[in-house]
């Protein structure tokens, strides 16, 4: 998929680009099936909510199922990501945030790059998230909130630097008690300046968003699940140094092979 000049400009100015209906109902059904199957497996990258039952997230899925390994090479995801980063890319992270009906918990306001900078030693914010809606996102089921343009603020909150002596407590990077969340004063100021948006739409819609864009989401008290698949591509010129105490591979991929788009049917 080739982006138009207007789409690229929109992404550069706001930090995000929303493309409704990129995947068909049949394609999403196959991805959903794979998510359900993977959710039942006790893999190291499977994270539970505080109730110790509801699956909060699945990490490193591209290493656990063929369909996800193909998806990272989908031309409609990979080509725009490469174009927006102006570079060949490799897979940095692959996760599904499930935000289950009634029990899916909060994602406090944050920027992603602070985690990759502080925890992994990623040199520059030259990574991009590609988020695929696996369910309809509506006003009830905890859609993601974004502050458009906030990626231009660069890194707002640096948090505590982890010592290489302490065990790498990566759980606080993926739980509702997020390590590098933003304070209320910062969010109030940014929201006053730029407002808040919550893209909504049918399953199969896709959101590209900048790794410094401020975002978060409320708990899901609705009866509707809200599953979001997020692929993070990183520039091959921006490989983290992962010094000291690296996070597990399901959070930071060690395979830096540049990805090539697949030509044939990707979601079989
Ligand atoms: C994220 O910050 O990685 C996603 C938040 C969400 O799934 O709502
Ligand atoms: Mn995030």
């Amino acid at each position: 998929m080739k982006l138009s000049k207007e789409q690229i400009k929109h992404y550069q100015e706001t930090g995000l680009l929303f493309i409704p209906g990129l995947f068909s109902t049949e394609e999403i059904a196959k991805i959903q099936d794979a998510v359900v199957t993977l959710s039942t497996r006790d893999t190291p990258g499977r994270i539970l909510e505080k109730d110790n039952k509801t699956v909060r997230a699945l990490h490193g899925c591209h290493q656990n199922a063929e369909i996800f390994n193909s998806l990272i090479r989908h031309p409609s995801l990979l080509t725009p990501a490469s174009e927006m980063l102006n570079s060949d890319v490799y897979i940095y992270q692959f996760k599904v945030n499930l935000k289950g009906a009634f029990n899916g918990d909060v994602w406090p306001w944050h920027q992603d790059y602070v985690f990759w900078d502080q925890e992994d030693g990623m040199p520059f914010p030259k990574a991009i998230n590609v988020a695929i809606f696996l369910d309809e996102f509506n006003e009830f089921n905890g859609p993601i909130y974004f502050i458009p343009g906030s990626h231009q603020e660069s890194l707002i909150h640096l948090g505590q630097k982890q010592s290489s002596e302490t065990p790498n407590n990566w759980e606080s990077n993926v739980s509702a008690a997020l390590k590098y969340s933003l304070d209320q004063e910062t969010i109030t100021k940014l929201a006053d300046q730029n407002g808040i948006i919550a893209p909504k739409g049918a399953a199969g819609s896709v959101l590209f968003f900048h790794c410094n864009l401020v975002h978060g989401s409320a708990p899901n008290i609705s009866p509707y699940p809200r599953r979001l698949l997020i692929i993070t591509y990183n520039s091959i010129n921006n490989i983290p140094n992962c010094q000291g105490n690296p996070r597990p591979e399901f959070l930071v991929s060690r395979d830096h092979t540049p990805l090539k788009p697949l030509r044939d049917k990707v979601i079989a």
Side-chain angles (χ1 to χ4, degrees):
M1 188 177 70
K2 183 102 181 92
L3 296 175
S4 67
K5 280 207 181 76
E6 288 72 34
Q7 285 176 311
I8 294 178
K9 187 161 176 271
H10 180 82
Y11 175 78
Q12 286 168 345
E13 284 174 6
T14 63
L16 80 168
L17 179 67
F18 184 49
I19 305 191
L22 205 157
F23 289 96
S24 69
T25 311
E26 293 72 32
E27 288 172 322
I28 290 299
K30 287 179 182 156
I31 299 174
Q32 286 170 342
D33 283 352
V35 168
V36 170
T37 305
L38 204 51
S39 303
T40 61
R41 285 174 48 195
D42 187 10
T43 56
R46 189 179 71 163
I47 314 295
L48 302 178
E49 298 284 10
K50 286 196 285 285
D51 65 7
N52 238 354
K53 274 202 315 257
T54 311
V55 179
R56 175 173 173 83
L58 303 167
H59 291 267
C61 312
H62 63 298
Q63 293 173 323
N64 293 325
E66 193 45 49
I67 187 169
F68 298 131
N69 201 271
S70 301
L71 192 61
I72 62 176
R73 296 175 178 78
H74 196 297
S76 298
L77 310 179
L78 178 57
T79 311
S82 224
E83 204 174 347
M84 295 206 259
L85 292 177
N86 204 11
S87 155
D88 279 345
V89 298
Y90 71 96
I91 179 79
Y92 185 67
Q93 251 181 27
F94 189 127
K95 59 182 177 262
V96 180
N97 290 335
L98 285 94
K99 208 171 274 267
F102 298 111
N103 292 318
D105 211 346
V106 64
W107 283 92
W109 286 107
H110 67 282
Q111 295 172 298
D112 286 342
Y113 177 59
V114 69
F115 292 86
W116 306 336
D117 170 56
Q118 294 288 293
E119 306 282 317
D120 309 332
M122 184 190 276
F124 303 104
K126 280 204 75 179
I128 186 168
N129 291 309
V130 185
I132 307 174
F133 292 8
L134 299 185
D135 295 296
E136 180 192 311
F137 274 44
N138 55 43
E139 60 268 56
F140 309 114
N141 62 359
I144 307 202
Y145 301 159
F146 294 95
I147 302 189
S150 54
H151 63 303
Q152 299 187 13
E153 300 282 327
S154 190
L155 274 191
I156 299 167
H157 176 88
L158 285 175
Q160 297 166 307
K161 190 142 183 88
Q162 186 165 288
S163 147
S164 56
E165 305 302 313
T166 53
N168 192 333
N169 178 20
W170 56 266
E171 283 88 350
S172 67
N173 306 165
V174 294
S175 74
L178 213 51
K179 185 166 175 185
Y180 304 110
S181 57
L182 294 165
D183 63 19
Q184 294 179 356
E185 203 186 321
T186 305
I187 296 302
T188 306
K189 186 175 131 261
L190 288 171
D192 280 351
Q193 279 165 7
N194 302 350
I196 298 175
I197 60 164
K200 296 186 261 310
S205 302
V206 172
L207 249 174
F208 293 85
F209 69 97
H210 193 283
C211 61
N212 263 336
L213 192 67
V214 172
H215 61 284
S217 62
N220 183 7
I221 59 165
S222 83
Y224 317 121
R226 192 235 65 176
R227 290 167 295 182
L228 184 66
L229 186 157
I230 303 181
I231 297 172
T232 303
Y233 296 107
N234 187 21
S235 162
I236 53 158
N237 305 316
N238 194 36
I239 293 175
N241 56 40
C242 279
Q243 270 168 4
N245 215 346
R247 296 196 296 167
E249 180 145 13
F250 58 75
L251 289 175
V252 195
S253 168
R254 313 294 202 259
D255 181 354
H256 308 139
T257 314
L259 297 170
K260 297 269 167 275
L262 289 176
R263 296 285 159 222
D264 298 329
K265 202 168 181 331
V266 180
I267 304 170

